């Protein structure tokens, strides 16, 4: 129902409490409104105010949310009577609010409408009188407490003007509470005069023995610092002088007076005189009792307006004194944690301490009597104000930002009781823990499983009990707590060590990114080193290489808690919670492992891997602050191409959550099994999953011609006594081989089970072929490859697959014959694995026998069930072993180079052409030197950045190869510098290795060099730098002559002006791309100050000549130089074209007879070692090379003086002018310019000069 | 004492270039603080582009001024005496054509070339243009201009001691 329209524009419309109660949305009103412009009648049209409440009424949920306050657009005047709350009001109102009600008409029988009321600038004189509310906010009925709404009075005045204060106004002002009896009985003559120090929460007051039967009444305690002088005891004091407020007295306000608490809270710190009190003995425990003053029906109170004293603080912190005022910046966990000024956390977790209704974000509150402590958690430090039974919270300014009222739930779960029993800092941690668990698992598991029920522990409770090894402790009575106040000991710091953060994964990923950003920023901002920003060079192009950082959990202080799943997108294991997912690598994942439920991981390694690109200052807000943890952290990706993953040992996975027992058994009765060898694992390809019922992952296996049968009485494989392995006729060889039956004893290890059995031959391939040989022969010859299809339920098994591993596959056809021709497995060539128990990893050991030739003892095939210790560092201290590598069919980088070399070189293959790239699929193993994105050189990112063109430099001890192609960002997790990696099914073409969509990348181990200079300096450069440490190289200008005087390397920032001389040779080193060696090159370099003649060879010269860069050569040149290619727009590197030329001439010398620095290549003097005449096109190519070298931006060059005599007379034929007179430099290094970095450096130099 | 500057491409800002002293010799010579300069290097943004058959005219704006530049594309006319096949495949001509394709409106270029006079104004006869992808090169160029001016160009010339 709406508010009636105003009667007239000028006078405020009168509003009653009954009108307020009809409002359905947060509303603000004022008795006078100032309109900046002329009053606009349209804005005050009757329809508008009516519409708004209607709309709110249809959506009542908004009243408890953060619906904004709707202002009433015309002046309204609210008047009513202010009084104490009624004793029947809900505890939250009775403890904090006054009551505001319509004046009761004498004729009316029904009680007047009333609302809870909070006032700013409260004055006790207003109690019981009619006041006019001039500015107010109204929050309608708060859903959770069911009472009428809350009126927040911002400005008010008394309805009847008070008579001017009489000069003889008394020292003490009587607070109009109710009329005390004129002749008090003797027992109620007790009185106190003093300063109120604290007021307790309201509680049920225990009754004396005599009144045991009666219902316990509600009351509260007030601690008053009294004056002990005799005068005070006899008569009401006249003045404040001569009084010393030192003696502590406790006054208990019970029964009808318990509604005085809001007044008493306001009186904290003020001087009061309370009379009409009874002395009573209050029993607080079995043994203990206190004498205290108890209110009676005659109790009256007066206060001293003029007193301006300070409440003496109680010294020790556990006595809970002190005051703090601040703005509420956050309210979490239903109001249990209130953040003030973004820095301080106020903990209101005492169930009896009910905060005022006006505790909302944006309000200014003051807190009195709390215990302040600094919490030093390992991941965060904060200041905590912990409330207790003495704490008073008052609102100094109301908030219009937020209309959400936080009301604590009253129900007490098992977990809640546990939290209450904890001492302070741990209790706060426990709240953090509850918040984290709630965020992490609300969507994944039921509340009952996580929080628990009234008498059953949930995961949080179990986890906390385990971590803290604490049990519930009995609570002390409130009177005891208040009177002999002691809020805890100081020996709690030690317990905080166990309190680690169970971090939500989005916060964790954010933190990981922040760590990466800060290390990259640190790396780029370290001054001095000249060469630190050198990018990785690949084919002459500079790229940003990858680097890796591995951080141990000991440095992080977080515990990871989550469930483990296989991602259908990437096929990788992931730690999952509701907020995010992180890739996880479990090196020693047992073959029969099951991963259901919630795991806790406290010992792990966090790996960060990505390009060391310069990052601008990103948002590095703290993901571990109280705010970020209590509130759901909003994560936004800041760093692209960064892989974050966690490496954890199987034994470090600690199952803490609800479990679903999956029996790890194979029912083998009446079933047979095939022996399969895994030949390939297909990477997850999300594009394939479209139009399918669910995600599917694939692997390829070869069925070996053996059928397994288990012999035994039991039902499952663990109970089997023996097995038989029958060799079948799968080979399909037409020759009628002699059936030789022979039994070979062998043993099978399967998980923890070891079985002895026999291998029965029914068809032997060779007369004396060994079993092992035969296995290999078989798999090469027959074609029974099958596709293993992993459905979601068996994703775990996909994780356990290892290429070249042997597996038992349950045969779906239950065919007991020893042939598998008619077996269902082969139909369609696909086996669907929809549950966990269809495929098992095994290892077979053949004992020494007559048929194993040349072996002694026993030999093992298949995957050993025992893994090497994953984190053992015996072999290499800086390596983490991830999987056991298999050696079969995987070739090394050097052998790969050998295969590539003999083939006829025919230029680089252009990936853009429609032609099919041809080659063999091979598996290569090597160590990753570096990785870089190929974007910009023809490569690009595909669909949603899921696939990216990458180039991976892989090496062994001798050679390096480059693999490139499009890879999903998921498959390169772990493929960083230093990782030992096997690439399965890469395409070997004549010159390069290509990653294909089926390429499976298996990371065997990763090294963990931290972000070091080496990881970004290309190997080429680091070799060159051996002679000159970068720190000793200083930037210089050519005209300075310094290098010639000081004879040490200097750095120049220059461009090629022209090329003087070139001596080109066919390279003799194998595998070099291109196969060209620059024996010597003479350049004229220009740095803007002077020209300089510089000499270089090899890689430096190649860089200056841009031999490794793609060049769009003129069609005629390209055609002549690349026979057999019919495309005229082929992209070649210049080096490639030179390579062909040098095949013909072996060695070519070029002399430029032009006069520098003019760009002249008209007068080239070329000669070939074989005295062959260079063709016109070859001549043109050389001219092109010279021109192209000049057409290049600025480069950095490190060079030192060289004696012209050392140049073998090459300098003799140089043009006289101007070169002869020039000093000569020998180039030691060439690297690209980082303009930003150099500009910063130069700015520094200019500023200091 | 500064080195001779007539052989190098001096790094210069447009405003400084356009305010060089021009001696009306034949060909005209340019003086910077009394020292002869002939070649310049500028970094700036292409703000105007006029492609003709024999040349490309463009304006480079580096924030201090606009410098007119001309890139000659008339190599085949210059090599008229050579056979048509040869001249068509002159690498200089090819390079010039490729460079002209790099000169697009709004791109950041590094331009080197000789200073010439055309209709009473200084312009650059372009030797090469390099497309700059990193905008920071502009700042670096400014700083280098300042540094070279302080340490090299504006030092008293060998022939005229005391000149300012």
């Amino acid at each position: 129902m709406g508010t009636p329209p105003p009667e007239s524009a000028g006078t405020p419309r009168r509003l009653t409490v009954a009108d307020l109660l009809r409002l359905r949305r947060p509303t603000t009103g004022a008795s006078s409104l100032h309109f900046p412009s002329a009053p606009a009648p349209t804005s005050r049209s009757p329809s508008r105010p009516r519409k708004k409440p209607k709309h709110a009424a249809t959506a009542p949920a908004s009243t408890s949310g953060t619906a904004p306050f709707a202002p009433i657009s015309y002046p309204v005047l609210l008047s009513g009577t202010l009084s104490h709350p009624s004793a029947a009001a809900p505890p939250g109102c009775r403890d904090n609010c006054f009551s505001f009600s319509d004046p009761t008409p004498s004729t009316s029988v029904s009680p007047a409408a009333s609302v809870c009321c909070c006032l700013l600038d409260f004055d006790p004189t207003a109690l019981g009188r009619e006041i006019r509310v001039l500015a107010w906010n109204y929050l309608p009925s708060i859903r959770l407490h069911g009472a009428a709404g809350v009126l927040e009075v911002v400005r008010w005045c008394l309805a009847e003007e008070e008579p001017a204060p009489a000069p003889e106004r008394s020292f003490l002002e009587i607070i109009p509470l109710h009329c005390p009896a004129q002749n008090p009985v003797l027992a109620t003559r007790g009185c106190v005069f003093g300063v109120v120090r604290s007021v307790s929460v309201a509680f049920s007051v225990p009754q004396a023995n005599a009144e045991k039967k009666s219902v316990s009444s509600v009351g509260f305690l007030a601690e008053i610092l009294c004056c002990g002088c005799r005068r005070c005891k006899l008569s009401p004091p006249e003045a404040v002088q001569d009084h010393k407020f030192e003696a502590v007295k406790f006054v208990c306000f019970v029964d009808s007076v318990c509604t005085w608490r809001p007044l008493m809270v306001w009186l904290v710190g003020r001087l009061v005189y309370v009379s009409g009190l009874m002395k009573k003995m209050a029993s607080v425990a079995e043994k203990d009792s206190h004498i205290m003053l108890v209110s009676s029906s005659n109790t009256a109170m007066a206060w001293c307006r003029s007193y301006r004293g300070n409440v003496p603080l109680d010294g020790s912190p556990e006595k809970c004194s002190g005051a703090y005022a601040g703005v509420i910046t956050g309210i979490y966990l239903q109001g249990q944690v209130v953040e003030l000024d973004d820095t301080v956390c106020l903990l209101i977790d005492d169930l009896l301490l009910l905060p005022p209704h006006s505790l909302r974000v944006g309000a200014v509150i003051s807190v009195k009597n709390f215990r302040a402590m600094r919490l030093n958690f390992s991941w965060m430090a904060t200041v905590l104000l912990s409330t207790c039974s003495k704490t008073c919270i008052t609102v100094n300014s109301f908030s219009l930002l937020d209309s959400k009222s936080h009301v604590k739930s009253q129900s007490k779960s098992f977990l809640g009781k546990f939290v209450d029993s904890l001492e302070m800092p741990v209790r706060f941690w426990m709240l953090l823990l509850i918040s984290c668990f709630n965020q992490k698992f609300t969507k994944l598991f039921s509340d009952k499983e996580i929080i628990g029920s009234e008498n059953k522990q949930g995961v949080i409770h179990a986890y906390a009990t385990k971590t803290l090894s604490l049990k519930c402790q009995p609570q002390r009575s409130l009177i005891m707590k208040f009177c002999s106040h002691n809020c805890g000991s100081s020996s709690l710091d030690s317990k905080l060590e166990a309190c680690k953060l169970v971090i939500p994964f989005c916060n964790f990923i954010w933190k990981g990114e922040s760590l990466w950003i800060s290390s990259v920023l640190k790396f780029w901002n370290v001054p001095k080193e000249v060469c630190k920003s050198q990018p990785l060079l690949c084919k002459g192009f500079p790229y940003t290489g990858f680097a890796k950082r591995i951080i141990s959990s000991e440095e992080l202080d977080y515990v990871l808690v989550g469930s483990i799943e296989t991602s259908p997108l990437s096929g990788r294991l992931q730690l999952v919670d509701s907020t995010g997912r992180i890739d996880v690598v479990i090196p020693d994942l047992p073959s029969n492992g099951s991963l259901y439920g919630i795991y806790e991981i406290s010992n792990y390694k966090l790996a960060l891997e990505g390009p060391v690109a310069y990052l601008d200052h990103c948002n590095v807000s703290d993901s571990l602050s109280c705010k970020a943890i209590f509130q759901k952290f909003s994560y936004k990706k800041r760093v692209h191409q960064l892989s974050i993953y966690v490496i954890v040992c199987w034994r470090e996975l600690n199952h803490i959550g609800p479990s679903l027992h999956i029996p790890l058994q194979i029912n083998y009765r009446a079933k047979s099994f095939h022996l399969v060898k895994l030949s390939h694992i297909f990477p997850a390809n999300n594009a394939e999953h479209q139009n399918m019922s669910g995600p599917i992952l694939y692997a390829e296996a070869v069925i070996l011609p053996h059928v397994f049968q288990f012999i035994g009485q039991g039902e499952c494989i663990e109970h089997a006594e023996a097995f038989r392995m029958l060799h079948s006729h799968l080979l399909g060889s037409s020759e009628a081989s002699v059936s030789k039956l022979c039994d070979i004893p062998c043993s099978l290890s399967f998980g923890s089970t070891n079985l002895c059995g026999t291998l029965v031959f029914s068809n032997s391939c060779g007369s004396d072929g060994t079993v092992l040989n035969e296995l290999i022969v078989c798999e090469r010859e027959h074609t029974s490859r099958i596709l293993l299809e992993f459905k979601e339920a068996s994703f775990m098994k996909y994780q356990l697959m290892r290429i070249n591993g042997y597996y038992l596959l349950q045969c779906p056809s239950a065919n007991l014959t020893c042939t598998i021709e008619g077996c269902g497995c082969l139909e369609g060539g696909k086996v669907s694995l929809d549950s966990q128990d269809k495929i098992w990893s095994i290892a077979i050991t053949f004992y020494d026998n007559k048929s194993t030739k040349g072996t002694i003892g026993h030999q093992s095939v298949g995957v050993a069930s025992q893994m090497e210790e994953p984190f053992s560092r015996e072999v290499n201290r800086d390596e983490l072993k991830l999987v056991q590598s298999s050696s079969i069919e995987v070739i090394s980088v050097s052998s790969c180079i050998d295969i590539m070399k003999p083939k006829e070189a025919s230029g680089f293959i252009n990936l853009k052409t429609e032609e099919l790239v041809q080659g063999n699929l091979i598996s290569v193993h090597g160590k990753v030197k570096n990785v870089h994105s190929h974007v910009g050189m023809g490569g690009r990112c595909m669909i949603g950045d899921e696939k990216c063109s990458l180039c991976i430099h892989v090496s062994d001890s001798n050679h390096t190869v480059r693999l490139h192609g499009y890879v999903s960002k998921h498959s390169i997790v772990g493929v960083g510098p230093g990782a030992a990696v096997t690439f399965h099914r890469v395409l070997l073409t004549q010159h390069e290795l290509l990653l294909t969509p089926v390429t499976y990348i298996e990371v065997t181990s990763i090294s963990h060099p931290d972000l070091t200079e080496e990881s970004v300096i290309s190997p080429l450069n680091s070799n060159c730098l051996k002679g000159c440490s970068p720190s000793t190289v200083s930037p210089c200008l050519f005209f300075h002559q310094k290098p010639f005087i000081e004879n040490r390397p200097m750095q120049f920032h220059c461009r090629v002006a022209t090329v003087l001389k070139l001596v080109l040779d066919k390279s003799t080193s194998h595998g070099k791309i291109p196969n060209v060696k620059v024996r010597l090159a003479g350049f004229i370099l220009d740095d803007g100050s002077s020209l300089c003649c510089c000499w270089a060879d090899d890689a430096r010269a190649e860089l200056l000549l841009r031999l490794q860069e793609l060049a769009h050569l003129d069609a005629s040149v390209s055609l002549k130089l690349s026979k057999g290619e019919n495309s005229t727009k082929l992209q070649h590197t210049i080096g490639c074209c030179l390579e062909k030329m040098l095949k013909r001439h072996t060695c070519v010398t070029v002399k430029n007879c032009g006069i520098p620095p003019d760009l002249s290549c008209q007068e080239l003097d070329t000669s070939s070692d074989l005295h062959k005449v260079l063709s016109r096109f070859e001549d043109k190519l050389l001219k092109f090379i010279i021109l192209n070298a000049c057409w290049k931006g600025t480069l950095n060059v490190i060079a030192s003086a060289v004696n012209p005599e050392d140049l073998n007379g090459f300098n003799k034929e140089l043009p006289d002018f101007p070169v002869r007179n020039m000093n000569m430099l020998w180039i030691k290094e060439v690297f690209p310019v980082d303009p930003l970095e150099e500009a910063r450096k130069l700015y520094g130099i200019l500023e200091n000069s | 004492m500064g080195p001779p500057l007539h052989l190098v491409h001096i790094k210069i800002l447009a405003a400084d270039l356009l305010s060089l002293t021009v001696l009306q010799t034949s060909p005209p010579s340019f003086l910077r603080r009394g020292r002869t300069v002939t070649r310049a290097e500028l970094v700036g943004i292409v703000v105007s582009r006029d492609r003709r058959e024999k040349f490309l005219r463009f304006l480079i704006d580096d924030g201090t001024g606009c410098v007119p530049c001309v890139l000659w594309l008339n190599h085949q006319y210059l090599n008229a005496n050579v056979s048509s096949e040869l001249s068509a495949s002159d690498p200089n001509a090819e390079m010039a054509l490729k460079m002209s394709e790099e000169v697009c409106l709004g791109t950041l270029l590094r331009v080197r070339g000789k200073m010439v006079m055309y209709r009473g104004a200084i312009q650059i006869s372009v030797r090469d243009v390099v497309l700059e992808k990193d905008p920071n090169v502009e700042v670096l160029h400014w700083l280098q201009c300042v540094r070279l001016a302080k340490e090299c160009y504006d030092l008293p010339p060998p022939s005229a001691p005391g000149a300012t």
Side-chain angles (χ1 to χ4, degrees), chain A residues 637-822:
Chain A
K637 198 176 178 70
R638 294 167 296 170
V639 192
H640 295 277
Q641 281 193 304
L642 173 68
S643 332
I644 300 177
Y645 58 96
V646 166
I647 305 162
V648 61
C649 257
W650 173 255
R651 61 161 185 271
E652 298 291 343
L653 290 177
N654 181 17
H655 186 263
I656 57 162
S659 62
L660 175 76
H661 184 68
I662 301 166
L664 300 172
Q665 294 173 334
I666 307 177
N667 185 330
Y668 70 87
R669 179 112 321 172
K671 295 236 170 80
S672 60
F673 299 86
H674 298 303
L675 180 63
V676 299
K677 185 181 177 189
L678 203 75
S679 51
H680 191 64
I681 301 170
F682 292 99
N685 189 349
N686 52 346
E688 283 174 21
H689 296 145
Q690 290 160 5
N691 308 326
M692 285 204 187
S693 51
I696 295 176
L697 298 167
Y698 296 97
E700 185 194 78
V702 173
I703 296 197
L704 299 178
H706 295 88
V707 175
F708 259 84
Q709 283 171 359
F710 290 96
I711 302 150
Q713 298 299 315
E715 288 271 308
C716 58
I717 199 167
E718 281 84 358
H719 301 143
E721 286 151 13
F723 68 94
R724 266 199 313 166
M725 197 160 51
L726 301 161
H727 189 251
S728 65
H729 306 272
L730 193 84
L731 295 175
S733 77
S734 57
E735 68 180 79
S737 53
V738 186
S739 178
K740 262 200 274 180
L741 272 171
C742 56
D743 291 358
I744 303 164
C746 52
S747 84
L748 170 80
S749 56
F750 157 79
S752 55
T753 315
N754 272 305
L755 286 178
C756 290
T758 50
L759 169 62
V760 183
F761 269 85
S762 57
N763 182 10
S764 181
C765 277
S767 54
D768 62 349
T770 65
V771 174
L772 280 176
N773 282 346
E774 190 178 1
L775 286 174
I776 292 158
V777 167
C778 292
E779 90 199 37
R780 276 183 190 161
E781 290 185 2
H782 71 64
T783 53
S784 62
R785 283 176 192 272
I786 51 162
L787 197 64
L788 300 173
E789 199 181 71
F790 295 86
K791 298 221 167 127
E792 216 157 359
S794 60
F795 273 1
M796 201 56 223
K797 284 288 174 187
Y798 176 83
Q799 297 297 331
L800 302 168
M801 295 285 134
R802 294 282 170 266
I803 290 174
N804 287 329
Y806 287 82
Y807 296 88
L808 272 188
L809 178 69
Q810 185 181 307
C811 176
S813 64
N815 191 348
L816 279 176
T817 60
C818 61
T819 64
I820 42 175
E821 276 125 351

Side-chain angles (χ1 to χ4, degrees), chain A residues 1039-1040 1053 1055-1057 1086 1088 1090 1112 1114 1157-1159 1162 1176 1180 1187-1188 1190-1191 1194 1235 1239 1249, chain B residues 3 7-9 39 85-86 89 92 94-95 98 110 112 127-130 134 137 143-144 150-151 153:
Chain A
F1039 95 98
H1040 278 153
H1053 186 85
R1055 296 180 67 178
V1056 177
D1086 178 355
S1090 177
H1112 299 266
D1114 174 52
D1158 283 323
L1159 196 62
Q1162 298 295 344
R1176 207 171 69 224
K1180 190 176 169 189
L1187 284 175
N1188 198 46
C1190 302
W1191 189 26
T1194 318
S1249 64
Chain B
L7 289 178
V8 296
H9 291 90
R39 296 167 171 86
E85 194 194 340
L86 264 181
S89 64
N92 279 314
E94 268 173 43
M95 288 301 244
K98 257 175 236 154
R110 181 181 295 275
R112 283 196 293 192
R127 168 194 147 124
D128 52 36
V129 294
V130 176
D134 188 338
V137 296
L143 292 166
Q144 281 175 328
K150 276 175 80 172
E151 294 186 15
Y153 305 150

Side-chain angles (χ1 to χ4, degrees), chain B residues 20-81:
Chain B
L20 290 177
T21 314
V22 185
L23 297 183
Q24 298 299 340
T25 51
S26 180
S29 36
F30 303 89
L31 297 181
R32 178 178 171 131
R33 304 251 173 148
R35 290 163 66 182
T36 306
V37 288
T38 55
R39 296 167 171 86
E41 180 172 313
L42 290 155
V43 176
I45 287 171
V46 182
V47 291
S48 145
R49 184 184 193 272
D50 177 18
R51 171 75 157 87
R52 302 287 172 89
E53 194 194 345
K54 293 181 187 173
F55 60 86
L56 169 76
R57 267 181 70 87
F58 58 97
L59 274 177
I60 286 286
D61 182 349
D62 71 351
T64 66
C66 286
V67 179
C69 304
V70 62
L71 174 65
W72 289 103
L73 305 166
N74 58 350
H75 297 79
Q76 71 268 37
Y77 304 101
L78 298 176
N79 300 332
N81 53 340

